[in-house]
Amino acid sequence: MKVSILDDYHDTLRTLDAFKKLAGHEVTVWNEHVQDTDALAQRLKDAEALVLIRERTKIRAPLLERLPKLRLISQRSIFPHIDVDACTRLGVVLSSNTSFGRPSYATAELTWGLVIAAVRDIPLQMESLKAGRWQAGVGNTLRGKTLGIFGYGRIGAVVAGYGKAFGMKVLVWAREPSQARARADGYAVASSKAAFFGECDVISLHLRLIDATRGIVTAGDLARMKATALIVNTSRAPLIEPGALVNALRAGRPGKAAVDVFEEEPLRDTGHPLLNMPNVVCTPHLGYVTREDHEIAFAEIFDQINAYVAGKPINVVNPDALAIARQ
Amino acid sequence: MVTAALQYGHMPNVICTPHLGYVTRDEYEVQFADIFDQIVACAAGAPINVVNPEVLKNARQ
């Protein structure tokens, strides 16, 4: 098949062991991100299979309608960036595994890196050292502090374990079934959402972004946090009410934030307030971006292509598309 | 103090921090509680954690 890959920013996929699975296919890799429909239609005009890296590019009906040769989109995890109905109508099969059992350790590890970077002001301290000014201030120790885990799913549970390993008290806030799992794992559950935001020294968000969780962290929640507290978001930006985080940081509660996810990605606006606050540590959505996690994800994504070619598509999100699948 | 630029010539594969290991508010609380207790104890005539006790014979008044 003619396989096109979008948004492989650093041309990493060719260097993965998993890339061998595409031997025999005609592969085109695009490194530089574009979202413009004309530009994408031009890039993908010959593509029969399209590989997407997470939610980096939106694939909507106006684009799909201009890709008559496209038969398969192969990707992993959630797909809010894809117009699935349009795919089905046009006979484009979407293969995406959403039920992998393994948590994203890459995201959990980055979360912990951001926690330490923020409480010790590591980026600021590095800058100070490089400027010849030696130390820039005094940080905080994690041991004995309270770590709040908001959303006790697979990643939340791993991060809770890291907090425990660092001698922190772990406090969980989550939906009822997740609360029960947290208790079974030996963690305390907050008496209320208000108490959770008021008591924790570090809060990390580990929720899926769905309608029920959009804006689940409100301005009021943030205002309850301690002036010394840190909020970490490696999940999705819209979990926090629009604008609420910047306003809260300006008001001094919480005192710090560490952010890997943004309303608009890729974020290229160097004037974005979060990028310009000394008490905020920002990274460019790196959570899942490790070689090891890419090996696992793309082995699966490339297997989906080969399964489709073999006439036995797997992880099909829109089975109705198979009935009208393009030849 | 040698600047990082001189010593390491800006290596992208090296992360440098300015000896931050012990530099946290909590660590300072613990350490300086001890250090200030030592001053208070000395002022009260009963010095503690003395490394060189022989000095006490000819300690300054």
Side-chain angles (χ1 to χ4, degrees):
Chain A
M1 276 184 119
K2 288 186 174 151
V3 178
S4 284
I5 300 175
L6 290 180
D7 300 305
D8 183 11
Y9 302 150
H10 301 104
D11 216 17
T12 308
L13 301 196
R14 293 179 196 283
T15 69
L16 300 178
D17 288 342
F19 198 73
K20 296 185 185 83
K21 290 177 182 283
L22 291 184
H25 297 292
E26 195 181 313
V27 182
T28 308
V29 180
W30 297 93
N31 304 127
E32 200 184 322
H33 171 80
V34 293
Q35 185 59 69
D36 177 68
T37 301
D38 288 339
L40 285 169
Q42 179 61 27
R43 281 186 177 186
L44 301 176
K45 62 181 176 0
D46 298 321
E48 295 165 311
L50 171 60
V51 169
L52 298 178
I53 303 182
R54 302 296 287 255
E55 296 135 70
R56 288 181 180 178
T57 293
K58 297 178 187 71
I59 306 294
R60 307 290 190 212
L63 173 63
L64 288 163
E65 283 160 4
R66 291 172 61 182
L67 305 176
K69 294 185 178 162
L70 188 65
R71 290 149 66 186
L72 171 70
I73 297 175
S74 186
Q75 62 134 47
R76 194 174 200 248
S77 192
I78 54 173
F79 36 82
H81 54 302
I82 300 175
D83 186 337
V84 180
D85 290 341
C87 287
T88 308
R89 171 167 57 82
L90 296 164
V92 176
V93 173
L94 171 60
S95 279
S96 189
N97 186 6
T98 54
S99 60
F100 32 94
R102 185 182 181 278
S104 172
Y105 291 107
T107 302
E109 290 176 7
L110 182 84
T111 303
W112 207 252
L114 288 177
V115 168
I116 295 176
V119 298
R120 303 300 292 274
D121 298 311
I122 289 175
L124 209 66
Q125 295 276 11
M126 289 176 65
E127 210 178 292
S128 175
L129 174 59
K130 284 183 177 177
R133 291 192 302 264
W134 198 235
Q135 295 179 357
V138 179
N140 291 104
T141 304
L142 292 173
R143 192 173 192 84
K145 301 284 168 58
T146 299
L147 169 67
I149 301 290
F150 192 171
Y152 195 79
R154 286 169 301 194
I155 299 175
V158 173
V159 175
Y162 296 163
K164 193 176 166 188
F166 273 68
M168 298 183 78
K169 289 174 263 180
V170 176
L171 192 60
V172 171
W173 186 247
R175 293 175 306 145
E176 185 47 53
S178 301
Q179 286 189 12
R181 266 184 288 121
R183 282 196 196 90
D185 289 348
Y187 297 117
V189 173
S191 55
S192 68
K193 193 184 180 201
F196 175 80
F197 277 91
E199 286 170 29
C200 292
D201 298 295
V202 177
I203 288 179
S204 190
L205 307 181
H206 297 290
L207 299 141
R208 273 176 190 269
L209 180 63
I210 53 174
D211 286 343
T213 60
R214 190 173 289 275
I216 196 168
V217 177
T218 66
D221 294 329
L222 296 174
R224 278 184 199 95
M225 291 182 73
K226 299 178 187 176
T228 51
L230 161 71
I231 188 159
V232 183
N233 190 0
T234 56
S235 293
R236 286 296 183 276
L239 292 170
I240 303 176
E241 277 184 341
L245 181 57
V246 169
N247 290 337
L249 289 163
R250 284 186 178 140
R253 286 173 187 271
K256 289 181 173 178
V259 174
D260 189 43
V261 287
F262 300 87
E263 302 275 351
E264 283 292 322
E265 296 184 6
L267 172 59
R268 304 209 192 274
D269 173 14
T270 57
H272 191 290
L274 290 176
L275 301 185
N276 292 282
M277 300 174 104
N279 50 341
V280 181
V281 177
C282 296
T283 49
H285 205 157
L286 295 180
Y288 62 98
V289 183
T290 70
R291 185 162 287 276
E292 290 76 9
D293 268 45
H294 277 7
E295 283 288 3
I296 294 168
F298 288 95
E300 207 169 81
I301 288 169
F302 299 154
D303 279 346
Q304 289 171 173
I305 293 174
N306 290 331
Y308 179 90
V309 171
K312 291 176 178 160
I314 54 173
N315 302 326
V316 176
V317 171
N318 56 346
D320 289 347
L322 292 170
I324 46 172
R326 297 165 171 180
Q327 297 305 315
Chain B
M1 186 175 9
V2 179
T3 70
L6 284 176
Q7 201 171 355
Y8 297 108
H10 291 303
M11 301 174 90
N13 51 343
V14 180
I15 291 181
C16 297
T17 50
H19 201 157
L20 293 182
Y22 63 99
V23 183
T24 71
R25 182 163 288 274
D26 316 69
E27 193 74 18
Y28 276 22
E29 283 287 0
V30 172
Q31 291 188 17
F32 289 97
D34 255 21
I35 289 169
F36 299 155
D37 278 348
Q38 288 168 176
I39 293 175
V40 173
C42 185
I48 55 173
N49 303 326
V50 178
V51 173
N52 53 347
E54 55 278 12
V55 80
L56 294 174
K57 292 195 293 286
N58 52 359
R60 295 166 175 181
Q61 297 306 316

